[in-house]
């Protein structure tokens, strides 16, 4: 599939068909956005358009807090996203900077039961599973997404400084650092569309996201004089963080006789 097949250009927005791009398989929402044209993901997980942080929407509505959307996007499986819309700045959403990113989640379109399941693994540890399930009946459409991911990164570094003169060359400072970063994350989303009649419908969705981070760092500092240890400091930092978020959305829609009213 070429880029032209994945991106549709309209007057006020670009539409990226994320579910057609094989580069998104096994990833999360941040993976999708890294592959979305004009969107940049910085080293802190912030979404940037033309050098400015974007406003993030899900199915056309702001979700969570704009200050902590990174955790939710990391937990959201890529296979739950249908499209990404890049929308021009709009007073409706008070978009600051470059514009708006609207994630459109899959709702399912086939009759009866259908769904997908994905497993992925990596070295160093980056393992996970995600599912998308859907039931589409005559009056009701129910869709659900769940994903779990585990990451474990180990980093070891050494620094050794030497003092040199005309007579000797001896180490006088030695530093070693051992970092272990483990992260577990889980996301569950369920929604429904109920068609009351041709003109009226009721939509609902529930989102729960949880992440647990365990960062352990061991730093050893050694001062030496002529090969003899004169001072040694061992510092251990254990940083554990638990984050959780849930959101319930209810929406009632009426269509009038006038087109697009």
């Amino acid at each position: 599939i070429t880029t032209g097949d994945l991106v549709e250009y309209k007057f006020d927005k670009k539409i990226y068909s994320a579910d057609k791009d094989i580069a998104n398989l096994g990833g999360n929402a941040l993976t999708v956005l890294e592959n979305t044209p004009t969107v940049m993901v910085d080293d802190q997980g912030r979404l940037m358009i033309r050098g400015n942080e974007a406003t993030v929407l899900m199915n056309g509505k702001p979700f969570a807090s704009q200050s902590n959307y990174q955790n939710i996007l990391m937990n959201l499986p890529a296979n739950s996203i249908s499209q990404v819309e890049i929308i021009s700045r709009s007073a409706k959403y008070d978009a600051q900077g470059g514009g708006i990113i609207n994630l459109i989640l899959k709702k399912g379109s086939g009759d009866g039961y259908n769904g997908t399941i994905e497993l992925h693994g990596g070295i160093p540890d980056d393992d996970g599973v995600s599912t998308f399930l859907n039931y589409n009946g005559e009056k009701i459409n129910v869709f659900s997404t769940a994903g779990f991911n585990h990451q474990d990164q180990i980093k070891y570094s050494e620094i050794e400084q030497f003092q040199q003169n005309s007579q000797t060359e001896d180490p006088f400072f030695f530093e070693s650092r051992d970092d272990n970063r483990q992260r577990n994350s889980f996301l569950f989303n369920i929604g429904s569309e109920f068609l009351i009649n041709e003109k009226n419908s009721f939509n609902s969705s529930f989102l729960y996201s949880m992440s647990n981070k365990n960062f352990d760092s061991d730093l050893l500092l050694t001062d030496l004089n002529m090969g003899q240890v004169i001072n040694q400091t061992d510092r251990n930092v254990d940083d554990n963080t638990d984050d959780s978020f849930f959101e319930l959305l209810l929406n009632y829609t009426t269509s009038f006789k006038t087109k697009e009213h």
Side-chain angles (χ1 to χ4, degrees):
I1 300 177
T2 64
T3 303
D5 297 325
L6 297 174
V7 182
E8 179 183 358
Y9 294 88
K10 293 192 176 183
F11 174 72
D12 60 342
K13 60 186 173 182
K14 284 184 286 189
I15 303 174
Y16 167 59
S17 299
D19 57 347
K20 297 180 181 179
D21 193 344
I22 61 174
N24 297 323
L25 293 176
N28 55 33
L30 284 180
T31 307
V32 173
L33 292 166
E34 287 173 346
N35 295 324
T36 302
T38 71
V39 176
M40 297 291 294
V41 182
D42 69 8
D43 54 1
Q44 296 179 341
R46 295 181 302 173
L47 304 179
M48 314 295 289
I49 299 178
R50 293 185 290 274
N52 296 287
E53 189 168 5
T55 299
V56 184
L57 309 178
M58 185 179 294
N59 291 333
K61 301 177 179 63
F63 74 103
S65 165
Q66 291 299 308
S67 63
N68 71 348
Y69 63 78
Q70 293 91 348
N71 284 336
I72 296 177
L73 294 180
M74 289 183 67
N75 297 342
L76 186 65
N79 68 354
S80 67
I81 300 174
S82 173
Q83 295 177 330
V84 179
E85 294 181 338
I86 311 301
I87 307 173
S88 303
R89 294 180 62 179
S90 169
K92 177 179 178 182
Y93 300 108
D94 190 27
Q96 301 179 7
I100 300 167
I101 297 174
N102 182 30
L103 300 173
I104 301 177
L105 302 186
K106 291 180 180 179
K107 295 183 178 180
S109 58
D111 292 334
Y113 294 95
N114 59 83
T116 61
I117 182 170
E118 290 183 5
L119 299 169
H120 70 270
I123 300 175
D125 283 354
D126 187 359
D127 314 310
V129 57
S130 61
T131 63
F132 172 75
L133 301 175
N134 169 240
Y135 170 75
N136 193 11
E138 183 177 350
K139 285 287 188 178
I140 190 170
N141 182 15
V142 181
F143 44 92
S144 175
T145 298
F148 173 79
N149 196 67
H150 167 77
Q151 294 176 319
D152 195 357
Q153 298 178 336
I154 299 175
K155 179 181 179 181
Y156 181 76
S157 60
E158 290 185 356
I159 298 176
E160 191 172 14
Q161 290 180 298
F162 288 83
Q163 186 177 30
Q164 184 176 6
N165 54 42
S166 59
Q167 297 179 348
T168 182
E169 180 182 343
D170 291 318
F172 73 97
F173 176 77
F174 178 76
E175 174 184 327
S176 65
R177 179 168 180 167
D178 191 0
D179 293 325
N180 188 346
R181 297 190 172 189
Q182 184 185 72
R183 176 188 176 94
N184 299 307
S185 58
F186 172 76
L187 181 138
F188 175 73
N189 177 55
I190 187 169
S192 65
E193 291 182 315
F194 179 68
L195 301 178
I196 301 173
N197 52 43
E198 292 182 356
K199 300 293 184 181
N200 299 276
S201 64
F202 179 77
N203 301 328
S204 64
S205 67
F206 173 78
L207 173 69
Y208 173 74
S209 172
M210 180 274 294
S211 64
N212 170 262
K213 294 184 290 185
N214 299 296
F215 290 177
D216 181 70
S217 179
D218 188 37
L219 180 64
L220 179 64
L221 304 174
T222 305
D223 291 314
L224 302 104
N225 185 14
M226 302 297 293
Q228 300 295 318
V229 176
I230 60 175
N231 186 44
Q232 191 172 65
T233 303
D234 188 4
R235 186 176 71 176
N236 183 268
V237 178
D238 191 11
D239 183 11
N240 298 323
T241 305
D242 293 314
D243 292 321
S244 62
F245 168 81
F246 71 90
E247 177 181 75
L248 176 65
L249 292 176
L250 303 174
N251 184 54
Y252 178 80
T253 303
T254 296
S255 301
F256 296 88
K257 293 182 180 180
T258 306
K259 185 179 180 181
E260 297 184 353
H261 185 182

